[in-house]
Amino acid sequence: MVTGTDEPTLTVDELAARAGVTVRTVRFYSTRGLLPPPVIGPRRVGHYGREHLSRLALIEELQHQGMTLAAIERYLEQLPPDLSARDLAIHRALVASWAPDKAEDTTRAELERRAGRALTEGDVDRLAAMEVLERPEAAGGTYRVDPGLLRLGVELLDVPIAHETILAARTVLLEHTRSAAQELTRLFRDEVWNPYRERESDPEHVAAMKSLSAHMQPMVVQALVTAFQRSLKQELRAAFTAE
């Protein structure tokens, strides 16, 4: 049962049905602390509300991005404890807008077609080591491919650099991009998200936030690429000038 208020009115069965999960999943999430406890009504029946629905939707979105339950638990612990159902819904929309391309399942023939070349077993091993793809679990199965990395991975197959050097460079890039992402997230939270929460009743501000979430990722990515290209050029020039 659902009313026009935000009062918890859903039983655990109704909540599970609305969220598209099982009752067992709801209870499991509750035991992990991913969902706040229900309001206990007459006859000791627990009642759930819109906040629980929004949290379940956010958990689902985070899982779609490949996060483990332990990672999701840490993620949710960082959110303000007083987030409303609307806060959670908008937060999910922001998370979804920043989600990377999902991995795709493909046959060996389709993989080689998209790569634009035949691939040896050694090539596939190198692509797997770079986490461009995952080999099938059984012979004749499909490969799990990251479409955003496939072209770059194939190009690196012909680069005259030791495979270990490529992997070391990848580690450096991951460490520093993760640090940049953390700082950008902190800046977004403090300068954009928190002020938004203070003005969420303003329809124009809500519309501006939705527009920002749709355009922020390409803007930030372009800014990072441009800044990195400029910095790398300067560092290479300085290093070889010194030589």
Side-chain angles (χ1 to χ4, degrees):
M1 178 177 65
V2 181
T3 68
T5 71
D6 288 330
E7 293 299 321
T9 57
L10 299 172
T11 66
V12 66
D13 296 276
E14 292 170 334
L15 174 68
R18 288 278 299 275
V21 299
T22 65
V23 171
R24 183 178 180 181
T25 297
V26 172
R27 288 176 173 154
F28 175 70
Y29 288 165
S30 297
T31 60
R32 291 290 296 261
L34 300 178
L35 287 177
V39 174
I40 304 301
R43 294 182 292 181
R44 304 293 298 169
V45 175
H47 293 281
Y48 300 80
R50 295 180 182 177
E51 179 191 349
H52 296 91
L53 275 173
S54 295
R55 276 190 175 264
L56 285 172
L58 179 56
I59 292 170
E60 179 185 29
E61 187 62 52
L62 295 172
Q63 285 180 319
H64 284 168
Q65 293 192 41
M67 292 181 67
T68 63
L69 283 179
I72 292 174
E73 186 175 350
R74 292 191 297 270
Y75 183 92
L76 294 178
E77 286 176 351
Q78 297 175 9
L79 298 180
D82 58 341
L83 285 182
S84 66
R86 180 182 296 178
D87 288 331
L88 290 166
I90 294 179
H91 192 76
R92 181 199 176 203
L94 294 174
V95 168
S97 71
W98 284 71
D101 293 334
K102 292 181 172 61
E104 300 175 359
D105 292 323
T106 183
T107 64
R108 179 62 174 263
E110 175 63 16
L111 172 62
E112 294 186 342
R113 187 192 69 77
R114 295 175 64 176
R117 57 185 283 181
L119 299 172
T120 66
E121 290 304 307
D123 292 337
V124 174
D125 288 339
R126 294 188 68 183
L127 292 174
M130 289 185 281
E131 297 186 5
V132 173
L133 57 78
E134 295 178 11
R135 283 183 172 277
E137 297 180 359
T142 57
Y143 293 79
R144 192 75 169 160
V145 181
D146 186 328
L149 292 178
L150 180 58
R151 178 177 297 180
L152 174 61
V154 171
E155 290 178 355
L156 288 175
L157 293 176
D158 297 324
V159 173
I161 299 177
H163 185 54
E164 292 74 16
T165 303
I166 293 176
L167 294 182
R170 179 180 180 276
T171 299
V172 172
L173 287 173
L174 286 177
E175 290 178 353
H176 288 279
T177 53
R178 184 175 296 113
S179 176
Q182 290 171 346
E183 287 300 310
L184 288 169
T185 299
R186 180 194 60 76
L187 183 65
F188 179 82
R189 181 193 63 216
D190 295 344
E191 303 298 331
V192 179
W193 178 254
N194 288 340
Y196 160 74
R197 293 188 64 228
E198 297 174 359
R199 298 176 56 191
E200 65 176 346
S201 60
D202 182 351
E204 292 185 1
H205 197 54
V206 172
M209 277 292 293
K210 291 181 179 178
S211 175
L212 176 63
S213 69
H215 294 89
M216 180 173 285
Q217 184 181 16
M219 290 190 299
V220 171
V221 169
Q222 184 59 52
L224 284 172
V225 170
T226 301
F228 178 73
Q229 288 176 330
R230 184 177 296 124
S231 297
L232 183 60
K233 184 177 181 180
Q234 293 172 347
E235 291 297 322
L236 288 173
R237 181 185 297 118
F240 285 101
T241 298
E243 289 290 334

